[in-house]
Amino acid sequence: MNRRQLLRNGLGLLALASAVPASATIEGAETFSQELFNEALASGEAFLLDFSATW
C-alpha cells in the first residue's frame, strides 16, 4: 500500500464515520431523573447510565 492509498482510504473511513450517528437510541431507555436513579439504586440490580452531548 502506498501513501496515496493510505490517505485515500483513511479519508474515506473518516467521512464514513462522520456520516454515522454517534449514538443509537436504546429501545425502552428513560430520560434521567433523580427519582428513577434512586429507585434503580434501591433495587440492587445492575443498571446503565448513558451520557451524551450534542457538541
Side-chain angles (χ1 to χ4, degrees):
M1 179 182 296
N2 62 30
R3 278 186 244 164
R4 275 191 201 149
Q5 287 175 323
L6 181 64
L7 286 172
R8 183 186 65 217
N9 293 344
L11 290 174
L13 286 174
L14 183 63
L16 181 63
S18 65
V20 177
S23 63
T25 304
I26 299 173
E27 188 175 323
E30 299 281 339
T31 56
F32 179 81
S33 73
Q34 192 64 45
E35 295 81 25
L36 285 174
F37 179 73
N38 291 337
E39 285 178 26
L41 278 178
S43 72
E45 295 180 18
F47 62 95
L48 174 70
L49 295 178
D50 181 26
F51 295 91
S52 62
T54 58
W55 47 273

